[in-house]
């Protein structure tokens, strides 16, 4: 088999890159180790920056999102028994965010790929990257027990945090930066109306909480739990009681509870690998970086990597601009480190980081300062809606 761009992984990164390339007439094949159903069963965040939304439109997959997604012009931070609103429109030059679940987005991208008759090979095993430093890189893998070889011009490693692409960069050139946080998020999905029409991030001495949604009839809530917490120990009743204790009035009184559709615990991590290019191999999305979910940057960072790689490959194929290939990693990393900073900062400001009372007062002062001053609100709003993309040159 031969294609122009071989893509490993059919998460949002691989699917979006594949769709943009396909529309531009650049052939690509995706290999994925799971089944389509498994890929669609993963429940993740759903806050899209405007840059992500326009890229999805450019890829031709914005129709259902425009119809079913909800534009949010503000976000709230609750602490000290009150809730303060960050007016995104006012403090981020009219920009907003769109709430649309990642599962739905993945579904739309998969449907578009099927409609375009682009090839995705599911349930592949033993994927391996070969000769990324030469002009003739290729992948090998097995499907249904048969060994295959896929020759290509470029390889996009869109295979998430636990993929194989990152390790294809030799250890002596690869630098990994990591921070693991001493707590996790217990998430609950329920078919109940969300407590607020806006997302509410809550800081409380009992721990962080988050009120989010998938639609006006489906809520997504989270509470911070210790790293060793077990989902079996958290009945729905215990979850709702804890959430109410952490929320201020009127939310604590007004919240509508119901049976959980899904409940799971995820750890929090910050991670970046440098560089993101090794010859003709490019790392994209979670394969190269992880952010803690406070700030909802994971999917948006994946989209901004896709944006850069797509625009660079377009110029490479159309104008012969191979000089741009080495700009991929620095362009991505500039934006990634800033989103890492924002996600880490929001996490540190809103969670119970230590039992030290001085630290606790520092958090309160920080929250009060940033949500109570024009410059603070601007800093949160501009980062929340997403920093601008640069031109690839
Ligand atoms: N061979 C083939 N496919 C693989 C391999 C492999 N060796 N390893 C991993 N994959 C697949 C996974 O099964 C998964 O479907 O790569 C895909 C990676 O998808 P994601 O983990 O969703 O990563 P990405 O597409 O970069 O999406 C980033 O997902 O985790 C969230 O916060 C993150 O929202 C962000 C988005
Ligand atoms: C979610 O809706 O799952 C969600 C929203 C905002 C976040 C994280 C997760 O910061």
């Amino acid at each position: 088999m031969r294609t122009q761009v071989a893509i490993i992984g059919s998460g949002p990164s691989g699917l979006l890159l594949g769709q943009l390339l396909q529309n531009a007439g650049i052939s690509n094949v995706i290999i994925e180790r799971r089944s389509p159903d498994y890929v669609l069963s993963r429940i993740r965040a759903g806050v899209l920056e405007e840059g992500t939304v326009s890229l999805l439109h450019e890829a031709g997959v914005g129709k259902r999102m425009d119809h079913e997604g909800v534009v949010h012009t503000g976000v709230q931070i609750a602490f000290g028994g009150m809730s303060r609103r960050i007016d995104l429109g006012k403090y981020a030059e009219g920009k907003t965010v769109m709430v649309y679940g990642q599962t739905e987005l993945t579904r739309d991208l998969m449907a578009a790929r099927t409609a375009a008759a682009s090839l995705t090979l599911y349930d592949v095993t033993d994927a391996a990257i070969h000769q990324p430093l030469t002009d003739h890189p290729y992948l090998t893998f097995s499907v249904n027990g048969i060994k295959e070889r896929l020759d290509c011009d470029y390889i996009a490693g869109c295979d998430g945090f636990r993929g194989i692409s990152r390790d294809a960069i030799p250890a002596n050139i690869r630098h990994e930066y990591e921070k693991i946080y001493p707590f996790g998020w217990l998430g609950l999905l329920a078919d109940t109306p969300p407590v607020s029409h806006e997302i509410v991030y809550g800081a409380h001495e009992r721990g962080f909480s988050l009120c989010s949604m998938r639609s006006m009839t489906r809520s997504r809530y989270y509470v911070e739990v210790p790293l060793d917490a077990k989902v079996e120990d958290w009945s729905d009743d215990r979850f709702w009681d804890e959430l109410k204790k952490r929320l201020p009035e009127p939310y604590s009184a007004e919240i509508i509870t119901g049976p959980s559709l899904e409940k799971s615990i995820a750890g929090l991590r910050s991670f970046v690998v440098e560089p993101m290019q090794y010859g003709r191999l490019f790392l994209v999305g979670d394969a190269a970086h992880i952010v803690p979910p406070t700030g909802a940057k994971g999917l948006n960072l994946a989209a901004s990597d896709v944006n850069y790689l797509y625009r660079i490959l377009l110029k490479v194929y159309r104008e012969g601009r191979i000089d741009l290939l080495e700009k991929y990693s620095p362009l991505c990393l500039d934006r990634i480190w800033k989103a890492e900073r924002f996600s880490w900062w929001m996490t540190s400001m809103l969670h119970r980081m230590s039992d030290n009372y001085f630290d606790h007062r520092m958090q309160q002062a920080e929250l009060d300062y940033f949500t109570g001053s024009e410059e603070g609100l601007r800093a949160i709003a501009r980062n929340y809606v997403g920093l601008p993309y640069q031109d690839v040159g």
Side-chain angles (χ1 to χ4, degrees):
M1 277 191 284
R2 173 162 179 93
T3 190
Q4 287 173 301
V5 182
I7 301 174
I8 311 175
S10 78
S13 302
L15 287 167
L16 180 56
L17 179 66
Q19 194 60 27
L20 288 160
L21 292 174
Q22 174 68 34
N23 294 346
I26 301 169
S27 66
N28 60 90
V29 171
I30 299 184
I31 63 162
E32 164 61 51
R33 77 167 151 204
R34 303 287 192 170
S35 67
D37 285 347
Y38 183 93
V39 170
L40 283 173
S41 70
R42 293 188 288 230
I43 296 184
R44 282 158 169 183
V47 181
L48 310 180
E49 296 171 354
E50 277 187 14
T52 306
V53 169
S54 25
L55 197 61
L56 290 160
H57 281 142
E58 197 174 334
V61 289
K63 212 166 160 198
R64 197 161 69 96
M65 171 183 74
D66 287 344
H67 193 65
E68 293 176 21
V70 181
V71 171
H72 283 219
T73 58
V75 55
Q76 302 183 31
I77 297 189
F79 66 101
M82 61 175 169
S83 178
R84 282 189 174 153
R85 179 169 192 265
I86 294 136
D87 186 331
L88 299 175
K90 178 171 173 192
Y91 291 109
E93 289 99 25
K95 292 206 173 75
T96 55
V97 292
M98 163 89 86
V99 171
Y100 187 61
Q102 185 174 317
T103 314
E104 300 313 311
L105 187 70
T106 308
R107 203 185 297 281
D108 297 344
L109 284 162
M110 277 182 171
R113 194 163 175 86
T114 306
S118 302
L119 183 61
T120 310
L121 298 167
Y122 288 101
D123 300 308
V124 308
T125 54
D126 306 324
I129 293 168
H130 304 273
Q131 301 182 4
L133 288 183
T134 71
D135 292 349
H136 304 286
Y138 64 96
L139 302 180
T140 54
F141 49 90
S142 300
V143 220
N144 299 325
I146 299 165
K147 259 203 155 312
E148 300 279 1
R149 171 177 167 146
L150 177 62
D151 288 284
C152 58
D153 301 332
Y154 300 100
I155 299 169
C158 304
D159 49 353
F161 186 62
R162 300 187 193 284
I164 53 151
S165 301
R166 193 168 61 244
D167 288 347
I169 304 180
N172 60 334
I173 345 187
R174 193 175 76 220
H175 298 281
E176 298 184 348
Y177 304 88
E178 183 168 51
K179 181 176 177 67
I180 297 183
Y181 299 83
F183 40 74
W185 279 19
L186 168 64
L188 179 146
L189 188 71
D191 271 334
T192 55
V195 68
S196 159
H197 66 288
E198 292 184 334
I199 295 176
V200 184
Y201 291 87
H204 191 273
E205 58 192 27
R206 295 182 70 90
F208 170 80
S209 64
L210 171 59
C211 308
S212 184
M213 67 207 73
R214 292 293 171 270
S215 68
M216 290 325 280
T217 55
R218 181 169 283 190
S219 308
R220 179 74 169 156
Y221 294 104
Y222 299 91
V223 291
E224 169 189 347
V225 291
L227 215 43
D228 58 2
K230 297 208 171 16
V231 130
E232 312 83 84
D233 297 334
W234 283 85
S235 64
D236 290 0
D237 285 345
R238 183 178 174 199
F239 181 95
W240 293 118
D241 285 347
E242 186 59 36
L243 180 64
K244 283 181 196 167
K245 284 185 188 147
R246 296 183 188 188
L247 291 175
E249 292 280 0
Y251 299 140
S252 53
E254 286 176 1
I255 197 158
I256 300 175
T257 64
S260 62
L261 302 170
E262 191 262 2
K263 215 167 23 185
S264 56
I265 297 180
L268 273 69
R269 181 194 303 265
S270 297
F271 176 90
V272 181
V273 68
E274 291 184 339
M276 288 167 62
Q277 177 201 359
Y278 181 61
R280 288 179 172 240
L281 166 69
F282 299 85
L283 302 182
V284 183
D286 277 18
H289 42 77
I290 296 291
V291 284
T294 335
K297 291 289 166 231
L299 176 58
N300 293 299
L301 274 186
S304 74
D305 294 352
V306 168
N307 170 76
Y308 287 130
L309 186 56
Y310 164 62
R311 297 201 194 289
I312 288 174
L313 288 176
L314 210 55
K315 291 201 171 187
V316 166
Y317 280 108
R318 292 195 176 159
E319 302 166 25
R321 292 287 308 277
I322 52 167
D323 61 299
L324 293 179
L325 292 170
E326 64 185 31
K327 283 183 122 191
Y328 173 72
S329 184
L331 274 171
C332 289
L333 285 164
D334 181 67
R335 199 168 182 283
I336 289 161
W337 278 114
K338 288 174 183 144
E340 289 280 348
R341 187 209 66 82
F342 180 64
S343 309
W344 157 85
W345 176 67
M346 287 280 281
T347 303
S348 317
M349 185 165 65
L350 293 166
H351 291 71
R352 197 183 162 93
M353 299 296 284
S354 82
D355 291 330
N356 182 314
Y357 203 65
F358 182 83
D359 292 346
H360 180 59
R361 294 303 290 261
M362 288 297 99
Q363 276 184 318
Q364 286 182 319
E366 194 169 31
L367 277 164
D368 194 24
Y369 172 67
F370 276 90
T371 59
S373 65
E374 295 275 311
E375 65 273 22
L377 289 163
R378 197 165 292 126
I380 299 175
R382 287 192 174 172
N383 281 279
Y384 199 79
V385 301
L387 298 175
Y389 296 170
Q390 292 177 55
D391 220 349
V392 300

